[in-house]
Amino acid sequence: MGRSYQITEYCHRFVKEYITEGDCCVDATAGNGGDTEFLCRCVGRTGKVYAFDIQKTAIEHTRMRLKEAGYIERSVLFQAGHEQMASYVEEEVSAVLFNFGYLPGGDHRIATRAKTSVEGVRQGMELLKKGGIMSLCIYSGKDTGYEEKEALLNFLKRLDSKKWLVILNCYYNRENNPPLPVFVIRLK
Ligand code: SAM
């Protein structure tokens, strides 16, 4: 079977190297639960995954998916914005996933926004343990626009390089605003 180069699979392959059984992780944009399920698989029976989404439908879809996969016990789902993450999660985490934009199959007008996304990233970074990773799938163009991408990239560019490693990937030869996979690794 060939490898998938969809943005989420690409990020998963990278992120899983940073997670070991028993770890805590955060899915900052639960959506239909694909990323939450992936994290639950990585943390194993003794780990924990906190997942956030502002939409009830997203939380319901995620809960259903995790139940079917047998992962509900290792997950905690919050119908809340990731910009409030710090008031819900107390543990250090080894990975935080952001997959920005709108719920696939849902209302495209309910999407992540520049201001809350930057704040969510900031709070997620604070939760990361040394050697932990944050993955960001950033979209732009069409009904998404460019404001969120620009705000996130501006924020990431200014991070202290002694403390954070920021890796920007790009689908260099794809046209029409390809998604942008970004990794942020805590060095100390
Ligand atoms: N990770 C998901 C999956 O595997 O199916 C896909 C996520 S989808 C592209 C983006 C999600 O972000 C939507 O479900 C949307 O409701 C959610 N969202 C929008 N603003 C949010 C916020 N401030 N905090 C948390 N989730 C938010």
Side-chain angles (χ1 to χ4, degrees), residues 2-7 9-10 13:
R3 283 192 150 180
S4 166
Y5 286 94
Q6 294 295 320
I7 186 168
E9 282 79 11
Y10 176 79
R13 281 212 304 279

Side-chain angles (χ1 to χ4, degrees), residues 116-133:
T116 43
S117 296
V118 171
E119 179 57 20
V121 168
R122 201 189 60 75
Q123 292 192 19
M125 285 168 55
E126 289 306 310
L127 294 174
L128 272 187
K129 68 179 185 187
K130 189 178 157 193
I133 188 167

Side-chain angles (χ1 to χ4, degrees), residues 24 35 54 70 88 121:
C24 287
D35 292 314
I54 51 171
Y88 290 88
V121 168

Side-chain angles (χ1 to χ4, degrees), residues 28-32 34-35 53-55 81-83 99-102 112:
T29 49
N32 290 320
D35 292 314
D53 204 291
I54 51 171
Q55 295 193 67
H82 42 229
E83 65 278 11
N99 190 348
F100 297 101
Y102 47 79
T112 53

Side-chain angles (χ1 to χ4, degrees), residues 8 12 27-37 52-56 58-59 62 65 78 80-84 97-104 107 110-113 116-117 137 139 148:
T8 49
H12 289 182
D27 182 0
T29 49
N32 290 320
D35 292 314
T36 316
E37 183 183 346
F52 294 83
D53 204 291
I54 51 171
Q55 295 193 67
K56 190 167 179 238
I59 294 296
T62 300
R65 187 172 185 144
F78 299 112
H82 42 229
E83 65 278 11
Q84 293 163 21
L97 261 52
F98 281 87
N99 190 348
F100 297 101
Y102 47 79
L103 181 66
D107 185 343
I110 309 173
T112 53
R113 300 274 170 242
T116 43
S117 296
C137 299
Y139 306 90
E148 182 180 47

Side-chain angles (χ1 to χ4, degrees), residues 3 8-21 23 25 35 37-43 94-97 131-135 183:
R3 283 192 150 180
T8 49
E9 282 79 11
Y10 176 79
C11 291
H12 289 182
R13 281 212 304 279
F14 202 84
V15 165
K16 74 171 191 292
E17 303 296 325
Y18 290 76
I19 308 174
T20 44
E21 173 132 15
D23 281 355
C25 294
D35 292 314
E37 183 183 346
F38 157 74
L39 288 174
C40 283
R41 196 161 47 244
C42 294
V43 301
S94 54
V96 180
L97 261 52
I133 188 167
M134 177 181 285
S135 146
F183 301 117

